[in-house]
Amino acid sequence: MKTNGGPPAASGHSVSRDGQERRWRRMAQKEYLQAKLTQFLREDRIQLWKPPYTDENKEVGLALKDLAKKYSDKLECCENEVEKIMEEIRCKAIERGTGNEHYKTTGIATIEVFLPPRVRKDRKNRLETRLHITGRELRSKIAETFGFQESYIKIVINKKQLQLGRTLEEQGVTHNVKAMVLELKQSEEDTRKNVQVEEDEQNEAKLKEKRIQRTKRGLEILAERAEMVVDPETTPYLDIANQTGRSIRMPPSERKALVLAMGYHEKGRAFLKRKEYGIALPCLLDADRYFWGSACCHSYQVAFSLHFGPHIN
């Protein structure tokens, strides 16, 4: 299709992306200017909240404009933009000074709260509180003020997670401190429950494994005794007979395999009756393995009976 020779129209996605990049550049430039102007003010020991930059009514003084021109020439950038940023710095300094006076008078501290990234507007906020409250009370206050679920946030102050059971004073929280709010995908209580469930499942699995191993060891001991020539009056023995009751002779290895097969089968049935399926299944699988591993099972149709001596409980 032919065009009228003009430049190609930009798609909606590219326009949106370009606009976003421009906003990022403006934000980065503003942060850079703020950092440089703050540095200049400290080097020149200039206090914008005092005369001649602020009058007795806390309004901006004429000297601020001259200072803005001086710094804009130094930075080689727009004088109006520099003046605007310096006015923001001055207002924040006055706000901080007012807060300091308020804290000295009332004992009510100001905490600068930084909200999660998803809160696009006013990520940095101020919250007034007394310092004798607990961390749990502060968390509750932040959740209520900024619309969070209390159990789904953590508070970090001075690079440490706020402890809920101790007071703010005990944790070194002071006036004008910065607090960062971290939003969790699940509450701490849910996390503890999940950890507890995992631990319980692991402990249950270990217990099942111990019971299976104990069962195996007991059956192996019984099978080893069945291979020995013993006195039937004092020692348990195994008699293998056909359907008519006539004893069947078989090699010791076959006898042992059949003892294990019968033992695992009976144990498996017992565990099934108690609905302990996790233990019953390995026993039944072992019974099947030993039974079909015995050559006699393919040659004879036999009935089994176990007889135990008087000293075995």
Side-chain angles (χ1 to χ4, degrees), residues 243-259:
Q243 291 179 337
T244 64
R246 184 176 179 179
S247 296
I248 298 175
R249 295 182 178 277
M250 60 177 58
S253 61
E254 298 295 332
R255 178 185 294 268
K256 180 178 179 179
L258 287 173
V259 170

Side-chain angles (χ1 to χ4, degrees), residues 13 27 45 47 55 72 74-75 116 122 124 133-134 150 179 208-209 211 214 273 277 282-283 290:
H13 291 293
M27 289 173 60
R45 297 183 180 180
Q47 298 175 324
D55 61 22
S72 65
K74 193 173 182 178
L75 292 168
D122 300 327
K124 188 165 61 174
I133 67 171
T134 64
E150 183 177 343
K208 284 182 179 179
E209 182 63 24
R211 294 178 68 184
R214 188 165 60 245
K273 289 181 180 179
Y277 305 117
C283 290
Y290 280 110

Side-chain angles (χ1 to χ4, degrees), residues 31-49:
E31 290 177 359
Y32 169 77
L33 289 176
Q34 283 177 335
K36 294 300 292 184
L37 291 172
T38 301
Q39 178 186 341
F40 293 161
L41 291 170
R42 287 175 180 168
E43 291 174 351
D44 296 340
R45 297 183 180 180
I46 292 176
Q47 298 175 324
L48 294 180
W49 61 93

Side-chain angles (χ1 to χ4, degrees), residues 103-249:
Y103 173 63
K104 291 178 182 177
T105 305
T106 64
I108 298 176
T110 299
I111 295 179
E112 195 170 3
V113 181
F114 290 82
L115 301 178
R118 74 172 183 83
V119 183
R120 296 186 178 180
K121 290 186 177 181
D122 300 327
R123 284 188 59 192
K124 188 165 61 174
N125 299 268
R126 292 183 178 273
L127 185 72
E128 292 187 343
T129 182
R130 295 189 181 275
L131 299 179
H132 59 72
I133 67 171
T134 64
R136 181 174 283 103
E137 290 173 306
L138 178 62
R139 185 183 70 169
S140 177
K141 192 172 185 178
I142 289 175
E144 182 180 357
T145 303
F146 302 109
F148 295 105
Q149 294 186 43
E150 183 177 343
S151 58
Y152 282 75
I153 59 173
K154 285 184 178 182
I155 313 299
V156 177
I157 297 179
N158 296 330
K159 300 181 180 180
K160 295 180 182 178
Q161 182 179 332
L162 192 68
Q163 298 181 34
L164 303 181
R166 299 177 61 194
T167 67
L168 302 184
E169 287 178 328
E170 291 173 342
Q171 299 181 66
V173 178
T174 58
H175 174 60
N176 280 336
V177 76
K178 293 178 173 61
M180 180 179 293
V181 179
L182 302 179
E183 196 168 13
L184 308 175
K185 292 184 178 180
Q186 61 180 7
S187 66
E188 292 184 336
E189 183 179 353
D190 291 340
T191 302
R192 285 195 295 269
K193 286 181 180 178
N194 292 339
V195 171
Q196 185 62 47
V197 168
E198 290 179 3
E199 290 180 353
D200 292 343
E201 290 176 351
Q202 291 177 0
N203 292 335
E204 185 178 355
K206 290 179 181 179
L207 181 60
K208 284 182 179 179
E209 182 63 24
K210 286 182 180 180
R211 294 178 68 184
I212 291 172
Q213 294 301 325
R214 188 165 60 245
T215 298
K216 286 184 177 182
R217 182 56 186 154
L219 291 173
E220 287 173 359
I221 292 174
L222 179 62
E224 289 170 359
R225 288 182 178 180
E227 291 183 292
M228 300 168 62
V229 178
V230 295
D231 182 0
E233 296 296 327
T234 60
T235 308
Y237 67 98
L238 173 70
D239 183 30
I240 301 178
N242 62 15
Q243 291 179 337
T244 64
R246 184 176 179 179
S247 296
I248 298 175
R249 295 182 178 277

